[in-house]
Amino acid sequence: MKIAPRRHRRIRLGSQVLGSLTLGMAISALPVCATEQPPAANESQHHEDKANEHHKPQQPHHDKKLEHIEVNGDYQGYNTRRVQSGKFTEDLLNSAKTVTVINQDLMKDMGAESFSDALRATPGITLGTGEGGNPYGDRPFIRGYDAQSSTFINGMRDVGSQSRETFNIEQIEVLKGPSSVYNGRGAVGGSINIVTKKAQAGDFINADLAIGTDALKRGTLDVNTQLSDEAAFRINMMSHDADTPGRDQVSGNRWGVAPSLTFGLTTATQVTLEYYHFESHDIPDYGIPYDQSSGRPAKVDEDNFYGLLSRDFRDNSDDTASVLITHDFNDKLHFSSTSVYSRNTNNYIVTNPDDSAGNVANGYVWRNTKSRNSVTKTLATQLQLSGEVTLAGMPNRFAIGTELSNERTSNRNYSVDTGNGRNAGCDDAMLASYNCTLLSAPNPHDPWTGTISLSTDATVTETDTRSLYAFNTLELNDAWFINGGIRWDDYQTSSEAASATLDNDSDFFNYQLSVLYKPAANGSIYAAWGTSSNPPGTSNGDGSDRLGSNNEDLQPEDTKSYELGSKWELFDGRLSLNGSIFQIEKNNARVATEAGRSAPQANVGKQKVKGFEVGFSGDILRHWHGFGGYTYLDATLDSNGYNSEYDGNRFPNTAKHSVSLFSTYDITEQLTAGAGAYYMSKVYGNTANTLWIPSYWRFDLMSSYHVNDYLTLRFNVQNLMDKRYYDKAYAAHFANVAPGRLAMLSAEVHF
């Protein structure tokens, strides 16, 4: 049978083949994280050359020369060989680190329309939620540790709390394991880098229009035009409006626009100007309260919504301007500069279905509130020199650079006057004022009549960071590589409020070292060591790791990791496999030394994560394509200071077992069908391991029909069985209910 051209094969991954799932699992018994994907048919010679020239240095800022990427509607597969960061001096096959790359084709085929939704493509990531001082927004946990403040845009830290979109994302790069040598503070379990779409050579128009159940209406437009031989302009736009499947009255709308302009398309110097604007307006949702007697969410209708439409709201905005400059001195020496200014806002009042006074046991829920009015501004610059030199007859590929940043977060709360104070027990008067509601039958339309005012006192947190780093790969011969990286950070953070001024000044040094052996040109085996540092106040006042009077004088937490892994590219690079075993140790974790929420802390805690991960991406057979894997995490709180009764407990927000599988099959040259299967084992919400959400399986379906070169139709069903499961466990009060079944029909038009 004649195989369809790549542009005809838009939907290449889903987990369709349940009958053949055993083969997929057998293949996934080899590695998952590093998502290096198969070449397009017209790139086969390029990848054959890559197999023979694995030592060629990575020049991510020069991707237009190293690896042609088409985004004008042609299928490019799910196997991405490189990451955007120039700190990687090798491609992924020869990098001694677990890295998963989720590209735009995979996101489209999965029907992922939000950043959090896209992250389900890779196992080992658990989603968390916010409450109180920990803001409501994207909160991924990687290998047991919070990565909310370790999320980056084009290599630059994006610390402001928010809920991100996918319309302007080229790919998502997930680095697993301690990553401070790449990214500075935090990154204890890993970090995430989002690569944006940028103007490039050529002319194309991509439009995607979707309608679906639950009033879904969505449209995206991606237009690129080459203005001259050396200049191009691109603009991405998005509008989205929908209810949340299965959640009474929970809805949202959002829109965004992202223009970019590139000069010097074929010259030694290239300049790209980018701007990103995004707004969202929705009804926030804290889900279902815990039943304190059992520890799991209360057994009620999962559609129940305990918020108040007359009171609750959430408004997000993000404005980011970037300047990216690259210059090639010659074939072996390159310079890059990235400068960013961003302003992010997170503004909300959300109902917390609170059980502080034991109301749930009596059939009531107190409609407590959590609120935030925050503005985060960031100004940052990264300068880097990379290239290749020969020393003692051996190639050395290097990258050296510096980063300077200033982050400033101003946060105020809303004063919501219910007349009942905190920790209120529900009674008839509170039911009559709608500050309480029935556990079994809440009414979101209750006419609440309390008062709301914005606090005049703001907490202002400011962080200045100066960093120097260097990476080098020494190629001893065709089979042996040694890679090293070092980074020094000077970190200064302060927090000013009406009552006090706090500050922490630290400097810390991190490293990585790896030895990699290539038994064949298409495979590698490696051993790697690395560290991370997590000083107080890492989140800059806009996340869970805040600066307080109980921790401002403490040293950074130090984390060490050890990893053994292997990566292989099979079938001329069409299928990538990778796997690793690892251990992460933190022996000076910050823990409380006495009772109380604001109890003093000391660096005396011990934590350990042991596990392994396997996965695959690419063409399993000629017409069968897949992406997925399995992660096992044995994460224990070995020593908890004053709370010694928790010693030996499992990490909160961390699943011991997680599975992610997505594959598709080309039934004909025009018709593709696929499915996804996702599993998460039991997750605890707190360190006491008394609150938890149960395990779940979720299944998705998809199909696409290539009508002609200009039109592709796609049909997605997410959560096929309408499984009402919980995807986020908070440390107290509530668990988040995942969306129910969603069916969506989209038409993708490209010229």
Side-chain angles (χ1 to χ4, degrees), residues 734-750:
F734 66 93
N736 188 78
V737 186
R741 180 169 50 232
L742 171 69
M744 176 174 60
L745 177 65
S746 59
E748 184 178 357
V749 181
H750 43 270

Side-chain angles (χ1 to χ4, degrees), residues 253-314:
N253 65 81
R254 54 188 187 259
W255 68 275
V257 58
S260 64
L261 186 62
T262 297
F263 302 97
L265 292 171
T266 65
T267 64
T269 301
Q270 185 175 106
V271 179
T272 298
L273 309 177
E274 289 187 284
Y275 177 72
Y276 176 82
H277 176 80
F278 172 72
E279 290 185 20
S280 65
H281 310 277
D282 55 63
I283 300 297
D285 181 16
Y286 266 6
I288 303 296
Y290 287 115
D291 179 347
Q292 300 291 335
S293 63
S294 66
R296 61 167 295 155
K299 292 186 177 181
V300 297
D301 187 341
E302 289 88 352
D303 289 1
N304 282 2
F305 175 62
Y306 295 93
L308 286 164
L309 298 179
S310 60
R311 180 181 70 189
D312 297 358
F313 71 94
R314 183 175 185 237

